[in-house]
Amino acid sequence: MTETLIRAASYVVSMDDDRRILRDVDVLLRDGQIADIGPDLHTSGEVIDASACVVTPGLVNTHHHLYQTLTRAVPAAQNALLFGWLQTLYPIWARFTPEHMFVSAQIGLAELALSGCTLSSDHLYLYPNGTRLEDTIAAAAEVGLRFHPTRGAMSIGESDGGLPPDSLVEHEADILTDMVRVVDAFHDPSPGAMVRVGVAPCSPFSVSRDLMREAAVLARDKGVMMHTHLAENDEDIAYSLAQFGCRPGQYAEDLGWVGSDVWHAHCVKLDASEIDLFARTGTGVAHCPCSNCRLGSGIAPVRAMRDAGVPVGLGVDGSASNDAGNLVAEARQAMLLQRVSRGADAMSAMEALEIATRGGADILGRADCGRLAVGTRADVAIWDVSGIEAAGSWDPAALLLAGPTTVRDLFVEGRQVVRDGHVATFDLSAAIQRQNAMALALSEGA
């Protein structure tokens, strides 16, 4: 039996079913779960002092492209819209190797961990030069984060009217075969699983209708979740109307891509009928506010989605379109954008934090994560609010208004991943040097 006692937390923002905020209590972690929450608890294990701290559930990231941490701030892509941005970066990504994928995932997950994230999805949709999904799974195991990678894919290259170069697309039969392989090899449906695998054709403009339809059948046969990009910007809507004769929501519904086992990234341009469709079917949305700003895509109608009952989580998106991976900063941005578009009362700091915790966990099918309650997983973020960021705050629990953007301590499945503001599971400095050397080599060959 392994135990850790988080003692005397000034605030525990539980995100439990009653959304309780508790004062001056302890949190006991035992064998990967929350064993108790209350005053004056005892343990024979390690004790972590959390006085002058806010304790929250670990944050949940529902959309990322971890490989992109190697291509931040690429000059030719800095001011491009989505399609031009992709066309600039595809040739660079085509040179990636399994080592590039491992290191970029390692750095991206460490960055997420430092921002309070304990569970992250990843959408890997290109596999150049022998790359496989397990390159990222190995990185997650080293960092220590709970991981939900998705086997993405592109099958329509430039010669067939798609956006990606032909060198980055795969044959659809090979894609489906590898989807089966990675699900069988790595997906763990059990409670407390550290790895679950999803199926994720990249987007309506890079795969065929047949692949979308067959991937949905495969996913439901295997009992795994489904993910793709949808309705990201005006170009996306125009493409759907021109190529399919319908809006993205109708396209998704026709191919079986709605339901509680589906979540779509972005959805900036969903209209009222599509919002209603997603609400009726329980289809989830990964909201990526910083990336949507960076690429000029627009402000997703999150307030309207939430009011209609659409499940909404938060995503940092890839670090080539963000260009960061700080999830608590992303939550603040989500809150601010809704206020810009709908007024200062459109979204509270606590609602944005809920989207970033239990909202994301629910979208990924992880009701055992994203909240602090007895029996849920011991995924816990400890935020030190004694520093300058929260100085003078009347409400330290309102982290997104006045609080740190780096955790002091982070636990995943009861194991400490961040200690005193530093990643505790591997040599991060060495990994950063390795990534910088790789990025330099890529830039010199561009």
Side-chain angles (χ1 to χ4, degrees):
M1 182 176 69
T2 59
E3 283 190 353
T4 300
L5 181 65
I6 300 170
R7 174 170 288 165
S10 296
Y11 294 83
V12 171
V13 182
S14 70
M15 292 300 167
D16 65 6
D17 291 344
D18 297 320
R19 310 303 195 270
R20 293 179 301 160
I21 300 177
L22 308 173
R23 295 289 305 273
D24 303 318
V25 296
D26 307 333
V27 181
L28 181 62
L29 317 182
R30 179 186 297 141
D31 295 337
Q33 291 183 294
I34 305 293
D36 203 357
I37 302 174
D40 304 319
L41 302 181
H42 300 281
T43 184
S44 58
E46 183 179 9
V47 176
I48 303 291
D49 178 26
S51 57
C53 292
V54 174
V55 175
T56 71
L59 310 189
V60 179
N61 179 41
T62 61
H63 186 64
H64 208 326
H65 306 295
L66 286 165
Y67 73 90
Q68 292 181 13
T69 58
L70 265 169
T71 49
R72 302 190 209 242
V74 172
Q78 287 180 14
N79 303 312
L81 298 176
L82 175 63
F83 283 16
W85 174 86
L86 284 169
Q87 288 168 328
T88 297
L89 291 168
Y90 278 143
I92 301 172
W93 296 335
R95 294 160 50 205
F96 277 27
T97 67
E99 184 181 17
H100 289 105
M101 294 296 185
F102 174 86
V103 173
S104 57
Q106 186 185 47
I107 293 295
L109 290 166
E111 184 178 18
L112 284 171
L114 289 167
S115 73
C117 177
T118 52
L119 165 61
S120 181
S121 66
D122 184 44
H123 189 185
L124 182 57
Y125 54 80
L126 46 82
Y127 295 84
N129 306 310
T131 294
R132 300 197 297 176
L133 191 68
E134 49 262 51
D135 300 323
T136 60
I137 294 172
E142 182 162 322
V143 178
L145 258 61
R146 207 179 294 278
F147 198 38
H148 199 129
T150 59
R151 206 305 182 178
M154 297 190 295
S155 63
I156 301 177
E158 288 177 314
S159 62
D160 293 320
L163 275 180
D166 291 345
S167 62
L168 278 179
V169 302
E170 302 173 89
H171 295 297
E172 295 191 349
D174 295 337
I175 290 167
L176 293 166
T177 297
D178 199 56
M179 285 178 173
V180 171
R181 181 188 70 83
V182 296
V183 169
D184 288 347
F186 300 107
H187 179 69
D188 181 359
S190 65
M194 289 298 291
V195 178
R196 290 188 180 169
V197 177
V199 167
C202 181
S203 65
F205 50 81
S206 59
V207 299
S208 72
R209 286 176 181 263
D210 287 344
L211 182 61
M212 291 291 291
R213 188 178 292 108
E214 291 178 33
V217 171
L218 185 158
R220 288 180 172 129
D221 179 65
K222 292 289 186 180
V224 300
M225 297 198 68
M226 301 149 57
H227 184 51
T228 192
H229 298 90
L230 201 76
E232 184 169 353
N233 66 4
D234 289 332
E235 291 175 286
D236 204 338
I237 302 299
Y239 185 94
S240 183
L241 291 171
Q243 297 297 318
F244 311 130
C246 63
R247 288 186 56 86
Q250 183 65 57
Y251 176 84
E253 184 178 28
D254 290 348
L255 298 179
W257 276 78
V258 293
S260 60
D261 56 353
V262 181
W263 85 104
H264 294 288
H266 301 296
C267 297
V268 175
K269 299 297 181 178
L270 291 189
D271 67 12
S273 66
E274 290 165 322
I275 291 172
D276 178 67
L277 169 67
F278 280 28
R280 284 188 286 105
T281 57
T283 305
V285 170
H287 175 43
C288 304
C290 288
S291 176
N292 297 157
C293 290
R294 162 77 163 74
L295 291 172
S297 300
I299 301 174
V302 174
R303 180 72 276 149
M305 292 180 194
R306 294 268 297 175
D307 289 347
V310 176
V312 178
L314 197 64
V316 298
D317 203 6
S319 292
S321 67
N322 189 309
D323 293 65
N326 187 306
L327 195 54
V328 73
E330 201 78 31
R332 175 179 168 85
Q333 185 80 345
M335 174 189 70
L336 294 178
L337 282 178
Q338 293 310 298
R339 291 178 175 217
V340 165
S341 63
R342 299 288 293 266
D345 59 351
M347 181 170 289
S348 69
M350 206 55 64
E351 183 180 9
L353 186 61
E354 178 180 324
I355 292 170
T357 51
R358 67 179 289 149
D362 290 349
I363 279 177
L364 296 180
R366 298 302 302 254
D368 56 345
C369 300
R371 63 269 280 160
L372 301 179
V374 173
T376 62
R377 308 317 302 179
D379 293 2
V380 184
I382 303 176
W383 308 86
D384 184 350
V385 292
S386 66
I388 192 170
E389 306 95 337
S393 174
W394 288 31
D395 183 8
L399 288 168
L400 303 186
L401 292 175
T405 56
T406 300
V407 287
R408 192 194 74 179
D409 302 289
L410 189 75
F411 292 84
V412 181
E413 194 68 5
R415 296 183 288 268
Q416 194 156 16
V417 173
V418 176
R419 184 185 295 270
D420 295 327
H422 300 281
V423 175
T425 50
F426 72 105
D427 188 344
L428 179 57
S429 295
I432 290 171
Q433 291 178 5
R434 187 179 176 194
Q435 169 137 313
N436 284 338
M438 288 180 170
L440 178 61
L442 287 167
S443 69
E444 290 176 339

